[in-house]
């Protein structure tokens, strides 16, 4: 601010000095030449009178006579040369040499003599130079005064602006409480008053949102806790193995939902970004496969997941799970055919690609799919999912990009974490299933977690041979699972009509 005010003032003064000084110097030159010309005419008249009087007395015109005119007190301080040409005589001259291009006044006398007065150009330049010196001195004085005034004015304006800037920063942190002291500049005082008013309204909104967040936290957690307790009761009392399994899966989903609610409520309050940790993608994608497979079967579609046995990345489990779920849900809602989730990695980066065989994304929409409130013409969504997913990925130092529009392919780029490299394994593609009737329950089986439960029948968990996994008999009859090898799990029917979901043996 100060520098801009100083520059503007200096430029203005320089232009004023140039626009006034140059015409003034030219005018001064013309005045000097006019004065010298008048002096030359006066000397010329005086010389003609003296020469005519001398010739009328019969005396010759000599250099001594002209020298008296040059040294006359009437013309003291004036440098000039007088030349007289009398008919039949040689020219007579007196005074200093006039040099080249002198200021000349010439005329004839009563005796036909010619008198010429010459004033040298050096006399013109000397008097004009003094004018230039005065103009330059006046210009420098004006420039110095203007710089002083500009510095004072810049300080007067910039100091309130600096205070206003600090007050705006304090409003952002909620520390501005003292009233604004008037600066004497109406425009700045008006901005400060409006800023204080806006800050007060912002604080009111933040307090209202904080109260809403607290209320929402209480209202959401209470029913979730009650539901979790009910599922725990079912898990402990039910004799049906598949019921207990569904209850356990539901409990895990409730835990994730509780974590999401907690993150959403605390995100606006947190002033620091979360610190990423090491996340094993195989576990995240295994859970997503089990969670979304029933929905894909109900839609008569396929969901396949390919992931290396060890695929560790830097990130946060909760947000990364939400991102993958958002991409799979978008594919289920707007895509078609098979949905494939594939992980590719190297020493530095890991990418999760989610693609399907549907019509893809309208090219006119393109990269705008990541903007909030932007969705396709036939979409019934809010347009928030992909925008939120990109924000979650970027908070962990990654990127979410649209790799291809047709077919739609999204890529989640993450930083690889240290881990043993292994060949890629794939979850089996579930076979197309018949439409599920409304209200039907899709039984599912999760991998062993090293614990055993007993009901009507015995279940042996955690027993595994070289590619063979065996489950104990259930109360309603034995159940046979397919063979699982390195990275490939079996998906076979059970005798009681229930289906067994493919689960990677190392998950």
């Amino acid at each position: 601010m100060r520098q801009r005010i100083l520059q503007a003032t200096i430029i203005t003064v320089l232009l004023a000095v140039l626009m006034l000084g140059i015409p003034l110097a030219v005018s001064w030159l013309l005045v000097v030449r006019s004065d010298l010309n008048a002096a030359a005419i006066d000397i010329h008249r005086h010389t003609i009178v003296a020469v005519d009087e001398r010739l009328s007395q019969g005396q010759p015109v000599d250099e001594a006579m002209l020298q008296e005119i040059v040294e006359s007190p009437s013309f003291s301080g004036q440098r000039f040369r007088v030349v007289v040409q009398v008919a039949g005589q040689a020219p007579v001259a007196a005074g200093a040499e006039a040099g080249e291009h002198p200021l000349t006044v010439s005329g004839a006398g009563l005796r036909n003599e010619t008198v010429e007065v010459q004033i040298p150009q050096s006399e013109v330049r000397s008097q004009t130079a003094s004018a230039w010196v005065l103009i330059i001195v006046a210009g420098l004085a004006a420039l110095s005064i203007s710089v002083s005034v500009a510095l004072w004015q810049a300080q007067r304006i910039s100091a309130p602006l600096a205070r206003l800037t600090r007050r705006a920063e304090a409003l952002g942190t909620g520390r501005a409480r003292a009233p604004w002291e008037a600066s004497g500049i109406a425009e700045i005082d008006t901005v400060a008053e409006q800023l204080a008013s806006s800050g007060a309204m912002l604080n009111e909104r933040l307090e209202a949102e904080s109260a809403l967040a607290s209320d929402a936290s209480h209202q959401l957690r209470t029913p979730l806790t009650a539901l979790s307790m009910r599922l725990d009761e079912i898990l402990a009392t039910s004799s049906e193995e598949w019921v207990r399994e569904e209850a356990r899966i539901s409990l895990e989903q409730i835990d994730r939902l509780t974590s999401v609610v907690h993150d959403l409520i605390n995100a606006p309050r947190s002033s620091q970004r979360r610190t990423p940790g090491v996340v094993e993608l195989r576990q995240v994608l295994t859970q997503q496969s089990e969670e979304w497979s029933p929905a894909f079967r109900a839609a008569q579609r396929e969901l396949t997941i390919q992931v290396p046995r060890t695929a560790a990345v830097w990130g946060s489990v909760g947000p990364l799970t939400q991102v993958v779920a958002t991409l799979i849900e978008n594919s289920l809602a707007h895509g078609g055919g098979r949905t494939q989730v594939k992980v590719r990695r190297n020493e530095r980066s890991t990418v999760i690609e989610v693609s399907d065989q549907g019509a893809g994304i309208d090219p006119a929409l393109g990269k705008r799919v990541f903007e909030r409130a932007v969705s396709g013409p036939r979409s019934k969504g809010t347009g928030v999912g992909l925008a939120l997913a990109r924000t979650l990925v970027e908070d962990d130092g990654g990127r979410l990009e649209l790799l291809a529009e047709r077919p739609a392919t999204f890529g989640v780029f993450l930083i690889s974490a240290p881990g043993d490299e292994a060949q890629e394994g794939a979850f089996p593609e579930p076979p197309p299933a018949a439409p599920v009737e409304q209200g039907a329950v899709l039984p599912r089986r999760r991998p062993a977690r090293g614990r055993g439960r007993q009901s009507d029948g015995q279940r042996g968990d955690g027993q595994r041979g070289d590619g063979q996994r065996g489950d104990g008999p259930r109360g309603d009859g034995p159940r046979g699972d397919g063979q699982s090898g390195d990275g490939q799990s079996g998906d076979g029917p059970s005798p009681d009509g229930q289906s067994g979901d493919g689960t990677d043996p190392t998950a």
Side-chain angles (χ1 to χ4, degrees):
M1 173 63 73
R2 298 180 182 179
Q3 185 177 4
R4 287 195 294 268
I5 293 177
L6 185 60
Q7 290 177 350
T9 304
I10 293 176
I11 292 174
T12 302
V13 172
L14 286 176
L15 290 177
V17 169
L18 293 176
M19 293 178 65
L20 296 177
I22 293 177
L24 181 61
V26 173
S27 300
W28 187 276
L29 176 62
L30 295 177
V31 170
V32 168
R33 294 183 68 89
S34 178
D35 291 344
L36 292 176
N37 189 66
I41 293 175
D42 189 25
I43 295 172
H44 181 266
R45 288 176 181 175
H46 182 78
T47 303
I48 287 179
V49 171
V51 170
D52 285 342
E53 183 179 356
R54 184 90 172 188
L55 291 176
S56 64
Q57 295 176 359
Q59 297 179 1
V61 178
D62 54 10
E63 183 177 352
M65 177 259 182
L66 295 180
Q67 189 65 34
E68 291 179 359
I69 297 175
V70 172
E71 296 176 355
S72 173
S74 301
F75 309 119
S76 60
Q78 186 71 57
R79 294 176 60 235
F80 61 90
R81 181 178 179 81
V82 179
V83 180
V84 178
Q85 175 72 52
V86 180
Q89 297 182 9
V92 180
E97 291 291 337
E100 297 181 355
H101 310 295
L103 181 61
T104 303
V105 176
S106 179
L110 297 176
R111 304 275 180 181
N112 293 326
E113 73 279 10
T114 302
V115 178
E116 183 177 290
V117 178
Q118 300 174 351
I119 297 179
Q121 285 290 337
S122 59
E123 189 73 11
V124 179
R125 288 193 293 269
S126 64
Q127 297 190 28
T128 305
S130 62
W132 277 104
V133 171
L134 290 176
I135 293 174
I136 292 175
V137 170
L140 292 177
L143 187 61
S144 61
I145 294 174
S146 65
V147 169
S148 301
V149 173
L151 290 175
W152 172 77
Q153 188 69 11
Q155 178 66 23
R156 179 173 175 268
I157 296 177
S158 61
L161 287 177
R163 283 199 300 125
L164 185 62
T165 301
R166 291 192 296 269
R167 188 175 181 83
E169 294 176 352
L171 282 176
T173 58
R175 293 184 287 105
R177 292 293 184 269
W180 171 261
E181 297 180 3
S183 63
I185 302 176
E187 292 80 1
I188 296 179
D189 291 339
T190 301
V191 174
E193 292 174 0
Q194 293 298 326
L195 186 62
S197 177
S198 300
M201 291 188 294
L202 182 61
N203 286 333
E204 292 178 0
R205 290 188 178 182
L206 289 177
E207 291 175 359
E209 291 180 0
S210 178
L212 176 62
S214 300
D215 295 343
S217 174
H218 179 271
Q219 295 299 327
L220 287 173
R221 289 175 180 174
T222 299
L224 287 176
T225 302
L227 183 58
S228 178
M229 294 175 63
R230 177 59 178 161
L231 290 173
D232 280 332
E233 183 181 356
I234 294 175
L235 186 63
T237 60
S238 177
S239 60
E240 296 291 335
E241 180 65 22
W242 67 270
V243 173
R244 293 199 305 272
E245 188 69 13
E246 289 298 326
R248 185 182 59 80
I249 295 174
S250 299
L251 281 173
E252 293 180 356
Q253 293 176 343
I254 290 175
D255 290 340
R256 286 192 296 272
L257 179 58
T258 303
S259 176
V260 170
V261 171
H262 181 270
D263 292 340
L264 291 177
I265 291 175
N266 291 317
R269 305 177 184 177
S270 177
S271 59
Q272 299 179 350
R273 297 177 60 181
R274 59 178 177 268
T275 302
V278 178
V279 178
E280 181 57 57
L281 289 181
R282 192 171 186 83
Q283 297 177 0
V284 173
L285 296 182
T286 298
Q287 174 261 319
Q288 290 298 306
S289 173
E290 296 174 347
E291 211 171 272
W292 287 99
S293 292
F296 275 82
R297 289 195 184 109
Q300 295 186 349
R301 291 180 54 188
E302 300 175 352
L303 172 63
T304 62
I305 294 181
Q306 295 181 355
V307 57
R309 291 189 178 277
T310 300
V313 297
W314 291 103
S316 304
V317 177
L320 184 57
T321 302
Q322 295 178 46
V323 171
V324 176
T326 298
L327 296 179
I328 294 176
E329 181 184 13
N330 276 358
S331 176
L332 177 62
H334 307 295
R338 175 188 300 174
T339 295
Q340 184 179 40
V341 181
K342 182 178 181 180
V343 176
R344 295 183 292 107
R345 74 191 310 260
N346 54 33
E347 295 180 355
R348 297 183 178 180
S349 62
T350 299
V351 58
I352 307 173
E353 293 184 0
V354 180
S355 61
D356 57 55
Q357 300 172 338
I361 299 175
D362 186 358
L365 196 60
K367 303 293 184 180
R368 297 185 63 228
V369 293
F370 295 108
E371 298 178 9
R372 286 185 176 268
V374 173
S375 57
R378 293 177 294 179
S379 175
K380 298 181 181 180
T382 61
V384 177
L386 290 177
L388 178 59
R390 169 172 275 191
T391 301
L392 294 174
V393 173
E394 291 176 350
D395 286 345
D396 284 338
R399 300 191 335 268
L400 173 58
E401 301 290 345
L402 176 62
L403 303 181
E405 296 174 352
R406 293 185 176 176
T409 304
F410 291 90
V412 181
F413 294 85
L414 302 168
I415 302 175
S416 297
D420 297 333
E421 298 295 332
Q423 63 181 3
E424 292 188 353
F427 293 100
E429 303 175 6
V436 180
E437 298 180 0
Q438 185 174 2
V441 179
L442 293 175
R444 304 162 68 186
R445 191 171 61 82
R446 292 291 296 263
R449 292 177 176 256
R451 64 182 183 183
R453 296 183 62 92
Q454 292 184 355
S455 58
D456 296 346
Q458 302 297 324
R459 177 183 177 187
D461 287 340
Q463 304 298 322
R464 188 175 114 176
D466 296 336
Q468 176 69 37
R469 184 174 64 189
D471 285 343
R474 290 173 38 182
D476 54 355
R479 176 178 177 181
D481 284 343
Q483 305 294 328
S484 66
D486 294 338
Q488 178 70 37
S489 63
D491 192 13
S494 62
D496 55 355
Q498 308 298 337
S499 62
D501 286 344
T503 305
D504 186 81
T506 62

